[in-house]
């Protein structure tokens, strides 16, 4: 079955440091890939996505490139801020067979803490 | 902008009791998904609905049932609650468009004592 493996946390960085959170996946087809962020006490928010190989998703300074050859979708940010502290989930969705089938398979999440 | 609304935010029940969680999707979203997130765990897909019909089923226990109503809101009914059902339950909705992202609510935290 489908699975997502992401870097275990927690990860602690100083403000303005470079961030990489690794994510690799296993899928039978050609999935769409996502990064979701979860702030304390809140739901999951879509951070960025990519739907096909070599696509780059980007948002709020975060980037991730869909690498089919390495089955990876690593999250990067050049200069993190304290407000980026949250739990980050990598996820995939297989092409749906009809509507209502675009369920997400999540990785285990990586807790990121940025210290001033 | 309107978001996915879940109620209640918090719920405390005793073992063997029942619970009903409600989800109100974003207007014009007719697809609803339910996820369960245990403490320190990743969200696990339970069930989804499209146009009031069940469209997919994941790791939902037989003690749980769900439905989507004519106004597209959805309810997750949980019976014979067990301690292990304590979790954060998320609802998500999306448009019936390929690759449409899922929009999540803030979740209902269920504690079973």
């Amino acid at each position: 079955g489908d699975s997502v493996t992401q870097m275990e946390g927690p990860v602690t960085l100083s403000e303005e440091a470079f961030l990489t959170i690794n994510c690799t996946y296993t899928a039978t087809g050609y999935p769409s890939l996502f990064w979701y962020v979860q702030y304390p006490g809140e739901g999951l928010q879509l951070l960025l996505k990519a739907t096909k190989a070599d696509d780059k998703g980007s948002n709020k300074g975060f980037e991730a490139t869909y690498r089919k050859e390495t089955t990876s979708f690593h999250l990067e940010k050049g200069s993190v801020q304290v407000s980026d502290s949250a739990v980050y989930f990598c996820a995939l969705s297989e092409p749906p067979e009809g509507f209502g089938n675009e369920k997400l398979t999540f990785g285990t999440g990586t807790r990121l803490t940025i210290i001033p | 902008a309107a978001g996915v609304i879940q109620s209640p935010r918090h719920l405390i029940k005793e073992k063997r009791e029942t619970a009903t969680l409600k989800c109100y999707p974003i207007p014009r979203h007719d697809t609803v998904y339910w996820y369960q997130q245990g403490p320190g765990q990743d969200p696990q897909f339970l069930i989804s609905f499209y146009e009031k019909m069940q469209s997919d089923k994941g790791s939902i226990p037989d003690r749980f049932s769900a439905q989507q109503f004519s106004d597209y809101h959805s309810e997750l009914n949980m019976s014979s609650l067990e301690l292990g059902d304590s979790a954060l339950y998320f609802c998500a909705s999306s448009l019936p468009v390929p690759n449409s992202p899922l929009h999540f609510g803030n979740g209902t935290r269920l504690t079973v004592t």
Side-chain angles (χ1 to χ4, degrees), chain A residues 75-88:
Chain A
L75 182 68
E76 296 181 338
K77 186 174 185 181
S79 176
V80 292
Q81 305 300 313
V82 172
S83 57
D84 293 328
S85 298
V87 180
Y88 291 81

Side-chain angles (χ1 to χ4, degrees), chain A residues 67-97:
Chain A
R67 301 285 187 202
K68 190 170 183 295
E69 64 276 14
T70 55
T71 61
S72 65
F73 193 55
H74 304 322
L75 182 68
E76 296 181 338
K77 186 174 185 181
S79 176
V80 292
Q81 305 300 313
V82 172
S83 57
D84 293 328
S85 298
V87 180
Y88 291 81
F89 289 93
C90 185
L92 69 79
S93 173
E94 289 275 21
E97 298 173 2

Side-chain angles (χ1 to χ4, degrees), chain B residues 2 7-8 13 18 28 31 33 36 47 51 56 63 67-70 72-73 87 93-94 96 104 108-109:
Chain B
S7 68
K13 291 286 185 178
T18 62
R28 292 186 291 115
T31 305
Y33 302 78
Q36 177 192 57
I47 195 168
E51 281 293 337
D56 201 356
R63 299 177 288 107
Q67 61 183 117
Q68 186 179 32
F69 294 85
S70 57
Y72 298 108
H73 93 273
S93 71
S94 69
F104 284 82
T108 293
R109 182 170 297 282

Side-chain angles (χ1 to χ4, degrees), chain B residues 9 30-31 33 38 77 79 91-92 102 105 111:
Chain B
R9 285 299 305 272
D30 53 8
T31 305
Y33 302 78
N77 299 294
S79 62
C91 172
L102 272 61
T111 302

Side-chain angles (χ1 to χ4, degrees), chain A residues 44-46, chain B residues 1-6 23-33 68 71-74 91-96 100-106:
Chain A
L44 295 152
Q45 299 177 25
L46 177 65
Chain B
V4 176
I5 305 297
Q6 290 188 246
C23 168
Y24 297 86
I26 293 172
R28 292 186 291 115
H29 285 199
D30 53 8
T31 305
V32 169
Y33 302 78
Q68 186 179 32
D71 62 351
Y72 298 108
H73 93 273
S74 178
C91 172
S93 71
S94 69
L95 289 167
S100 178
L102 272 61
H103 297 264
F104 284 82
N106 285 339

Side-chain angles (χ1 to χ4, degrees), chain A residues 2-112:
Chain A
D2 297 344
S3 67
V4 176
T5 302
Q6 66 180 97
M7 171 192 240
E8 287 190 20
V11 173
T12 302
L13 294 172
S14 297
E15 204 166 21
E16 298 182 4
F18 184 86
L19 168 71
T20 299
I21 300 178
N22 290 338
C23 171
T24 57
Y25 67 90
T26 302
T28 53
Y30 297 93
S32 295
L33 302 174
F34 305 83
W35 277 100
Y36 278 82
V37 58
Q38 186 175 29
Y39 298 101
E42 297 186 14
L44 295 152
Q45 299 177 25
L46 177 65
L47 181 59
L48 52 85
K49 70 174 186 177
T51 57
K52 61 182 187 296
D54 300 325
D55 268 2
K56 177 187 282 188
S58 61
N59 186 27
K60 299 180 181 178
F62 291 90
E63 292 183 341
T65 301
Y66 190 143
R67 301 285 187 202
K68 190 170 183 295
E69 64 276 14
T70 55
T71 61
S72 65
F73 193 55
H74 304 322
L75 182 68
E76 296 181 338
K77 186 174 185 181
S79 176
V80 292
Q81 305 300 313
V82 172
S83 57
D84 293 328
S85 298
V87 180
Y88 291 81
F89 289 93
C90 185
L92 69 79
S93 173
E94 289 275 21
E97 298 173 2
F99 296 124
N101 288 307
E102 298 195 51
K103 63 179 182 287
L104 294 164
T105 299
F106 288 91
T108 52
T110 301
R111 181 175 298 280
L112 174 66

